[in-house]
Amino acid sequence: MSQVIKKVLIANRGEIALRIVRACAEANIRSVAVYTEPDRYGLFVKRANEAYSLGSDPLTGYLDPTRIVNLAVETGCDAIHPGYGFLSENPELARLCAEKGVTFIGPSAEVIRRMGDKTQARLAMTEAGVPVTPGSPGNLDDIEQALAEASRIGYPVMVKATSGGGGRGIRRCDNEEELRKQFPRVISEATKAFGSAEVFMEKCIVNPKHIEVQILADRHGNVIHLYERDCSIQRRNQKLIEIAPSPQISDELRHRLGKLAVKAARAVGYESAGTVEFLLVNEDVYFMEMNTRIQVEHTITEQITGIDIVQEQLRIAAGAPLNFSQETVSFRGYAMQLRINAEDPKNDFLPSFGRITHYYAPGGPGVRVDTAIYTGYEIPPFYDSMCLKLIVWALDWESLLARAQRAIDDMRLHGIRTTANYYQQILQHPDFRSREFDTSFVANHPELSRYSDKKHPSDVALALAAAIAAYAGISN
Ligand code: ADP
Ligand code: ADP
Ligand code: MG
């Protein structure tokens, strides 16, 4: 039943493309990168065994399923890995793969379609007996229906894009007036960002924790969970810092969540790696959505369980049974991922793209860096601002905090502004340190982005050297 995957086309860019190249290399699988011209100098292009251009437009090539599947066939690839973002949750890529006899590394087109539609997903979960956030039974036709639903559910409510992702197309409304104002805005955002005007409504869970469960499912009916991640540190519904396991839930709740996630995956006939996201308030759990792909923060689950999730995806796609049973999966210590974004925290997190003049990676015990940047690399302005994932692991929470601070101090990233020093402020905050935080933490602490930059003596030396070199007309 099991087939052999020999060559994989990676339909993505940046750090996740490189992450997949690495998994392929260890599994003795050839990797093929595809890139648009602004990414010509990307590290994933250099590191893949082969690379092909998708043309000069920064985006259209990455978003064209027909072109990508045809290229996979032409270059002799037997499988496609979609990474996250781009086409990863586009059922058309999975469908075309099936049609052309290329293995799609992910669940079926049908499951992607169903779970990518948040109202369909909510329906499927309700049927399966998984508690969902209270909300409208389906999509909202117009503002009248929205107002009626809101008075039934009770304010505050969230208006959300049905096909949304990446934290966009979500707005909180505290009363009727706000709902009238925000409703058309979400529709317009949804249309622009996701090509669909469909929106629905959920009760706004006030100050919840975002807890998600990583699952793995094979073709033979085995479904297991790899415990949870706490992604409550968010800014505008986008994750900044993730932690595994959650430092603020009980073992009892941990097991309850794991079981619910497995139930959710089983109910829809899931295959491959996936994530079930929940909102948590007190001990109440609500299903929010399922992401049918590898997630940005899969890394921290790998650090605590020792399981290479991308390699598991490759094995599952080849038809192999899971390497583990629920009883043989365990976790140890804590891991934290800091999403280092090319943004200026002191200027409302304005994107800060440009040339990386100097980059020295952090290292030492328990430190992992997933990135595709290097000294001299110019970050193109067309994509996500996340430029580096700093991942740390330690045996206990206090050591983890110390290690995260030390790892940020270790790192030098010059030429652009980043969120690294902002994270130092979060790491020092008493509420964060005492494991008491929820999704309102970042918004409630605007003062944390008004820190003063302390210069490292070595940075001053670097700047001085650069000035002298420039003065002397030495180019580097
Ligand atoms: P994760 O759920 O893995 O934490 P994010 O929500 O941060 O991931 O999204 C990862 C990337 O995928 C981001 O670049 C985001 O913009 C993109 N993305 C996620 N979902 C969608 C979607 N439905 N449509 C378009 N882009 C998406
Ligand atoms: P996306 O597909 O963009 O990831 P999600 O539905 O996962 O969207 O929501 C993203 C974030 O928005 C959540 O992690 C949470 O912080 C917030 N959020 C979403 N729905 C609700 C809700 N009903 N109540 C409170 N917060 C919510
Ligand atoms: Mg989400």
Side-chain angles (χ1 to χ4, degrees):
M1 187 134 176
S2 169
Q3 108 205 38
V4 180
I5 291 178
K6 293 199 228 50
K7 194 169 172 183
V8 170
L9 183 144
I10 301 161
N12 216 299
R13 62 177 302 280
E15 70 83 20
I16 194 64
L18 186 57
R19 170 74 189 82
I20 300 161
V21 167
R22 287 174 171 151
C24 288
E26 289 179 24
N28 198 23
I29 292 171
R30 272 184 84 74
S31 54
V32 174
V34 293
Y35 62 95
T36 64
E37 282 312 307
D39 270 337
R40 164 172 289 272
Y41 301 106
L43 204 51
F44 67 105
V45 175
K46 299 176 201 281
R47 270 295 278 121
N49 296 119
E50 297 170 30
Y52 299 94
S53 171
L54 292 169
S56 59
D57 186 88
L59 285 167
T60 51
Y62 291 130
L63 296 171
D64 183 346
T66 309
R67 176 122 189 241
I68 284 175
V69 177
N70 286 344
L71 194 63
V73 173
E74 282 162 29
T75 56
C77 290
D78 31 39
I80 293 182
H81 196 305
Y84 56 70
F86 292 128
L87 295 172
S88 61
E89 289 179 284
N90 182 328
E92 184 58 10
L93 178 63
R95 193 194 65 76
L96 269 175
C97 280
E99 189 182 296
K100 296 278 167 86
V102 175
T103 300
F104 177 75
I105 301 168
S108 69
E110 189 38 46
V111 169
I112 297 174
R113 184 173 294 115
R114 193 153 166 218
M115 300 316 267
D117 181 313
K118 291 187 184 182
T119 53
Q120 289 290 318
R122 287 163 54 81
L123 219 63
M125 290 305 112
T126 309
E127 276 170 22
V130 176
V132 305
T133 320
S136 57
N139 293 325
L140 298 166
D141 293 330
D142 50 35
I143 180 70
E144 295 314 319
Q145 196 190 359
L147 288 165
E149 279 298 319
S151 32
R152 186 181 65 81
I153 298 164
Y155 289 96
V157 295
M158 292 285 211
V159 180
K160 298 174 71 168
T162 305
S163 325
R168 284 164 305 157
I170 302 176
R171 287 190 188 227
R172 173 178 167 155
C173 310
D174 284 325
N175 50 50
E176 186 178 325
E177 191 188 336
E178 277 181 23
L179 179 55
R180 285 187 188 276
K181 198 166 87 189
Q182 304 291 11
F183 186 73
R185 289 192 183 161
V186 178
I187 293 181
S188 119
E189 268 173 28
T191 313
K192 271 190 226 132
F194 312 113
S196 156
E198 289 175 343
V199 300
F200 71 108
M201 183 182 288
E202 275 179 9
K203 184 164 186 61
C204 176
I205 309 295
V206 179
N207 302 345
K209 303 180 202 318
H210 171 124
I211 311 280
E212 58 183 38
V213 179
Q214 175 73 55
I215 64 110
L216 285 178
D218 67 17
R219 207 170 286 173
H220 311 279
N222 303 305
V223 185
I224 62 170
H225 68 81
L226 305 183
Y227 298 95
E228 81 286 354
R229 297 184 283 255
D230 189 325
C231 311
S232 303
I233 301 295
Q234 305 183 351
R235 180 177 175 271
R236 300 194 176 157
N237 307 319
Q238 295 178 339
K239 300 162 186 165
L240 298 179
I241 298 177
E242 299 104 340
I243 303 148
S246 171
Q248 42 180 357
I249 69 168
S250 66
D251 268 339
E252 188 273 320
L253 188 51
R254 168 165 301 122
H255 287 107
R256 185 144 62 91
L257 283 166
K259 279 194 187 135
L260 273 179
V262 167
K263 189 172 177 181
R266 273 198 197 287
V268 295
Y270 200 81
E271 181 186 316
S272 190
T275 300
V276 187
E277 295 190 338
F278 298 97
L279 289 177
L280 206 98
V281 66
N282 305 319
E283 295 274 293
D284 294 329
V285 172
Y286 302 98
F287 167 87
M288 187 166 50
E289 66 157 345
M290 177 164 195
N291 291 320
T292 57
R293 54 172 167 85
I294 189 80
Q295 249 174 314
V296 176
E297 59 275 22
H298 72 279
T299 52
I300 51 176
T301 301
E302 294 185 323
Q303 296 314 111
I304 59 163
T305 61
I307 295 174
D308 183 319
I309 297 173
V310 180
Q311 291 216 43
E312 285 308 309
Q313 286 189 299
L314 294 167
R315 288 174 34 81
I316 292 167
L322 290 183
N323 261 329
F324 318 90
S325 66
Q326 194 64 66
E327 291 69 41
T328 57
V329 175
S330 60
F331 66 89
R332 187 159 186 248
Y334 282 103
M336 178 185 290
Q337 173 175 278
L338 304 133
R339 296 193 189 193
I340 310 292
N341 296 333
E343 293 170 2
D344 184 359
K346 293 183 182 178
N347 195 0
D348 203 26
F349 293 82
L350 197 76
S352 168
F353 301 110
R355 202 169 104 92
I356 313 275
T357 51
H358 288 95
Y359 166 60
Y360 303 130
V367 176
R368 163 177 172 180
V369 178
D370 278 23
T371 185
I373 66 159
Y374 50 89
T375 295
Y377 176 69
E378 189 165 337
I379 302 182
F382 311 107
Y383 313 105
D384 212 88
S385 62
M386 188 182 74
C387 64
L388 185 146
K389 303 195 301 201
L390 175 54
I391 301 124
V392 293
W393 176 89
L395 267 178
D396 57 70
W397 177 245
E398 278 69 33
S399 315
L400 184 79
L401 294 172
R403 186 162 278 172
Q405 290 183 274
R406 189 273 295 166
I408 296 176
D409 271 343
D410 257 6
M411 182 173 71
R412 292 290 183 283
L413 218 172
H414 296 288
I416 55 164
R417 301 206 179 273
T418 77
T419 48
N421 285 335
Y422 171 63
Y423 295 152
Q424 288 287 32
Q425 314 307 308
I426 295 182
L427 288 166
Q428 285 166 38
H429 196 280
D431 290 350
F432 185 74
R433 298 184 75 87
S434 61
R435 321 168 185 218
E436 278 163 38
F437 51 87
D438 57 46
T439 60
S440 69
F441 178 89
V442 167
N444 285 344
H445 295 288
E447 76 283 2
L448 295 182
S449 63
R450 294 190 289 266
Y451 53 92
S452 72
D453 281 306
K454 71 169 193 303
K455 280 255 183 274
H456 287 273
S458 60
D459 293 348
V460 176
L462 260 174
L464 206 62
I468 293 168
Y471 181 74
I474 305 163
S475 65
N476 59 344

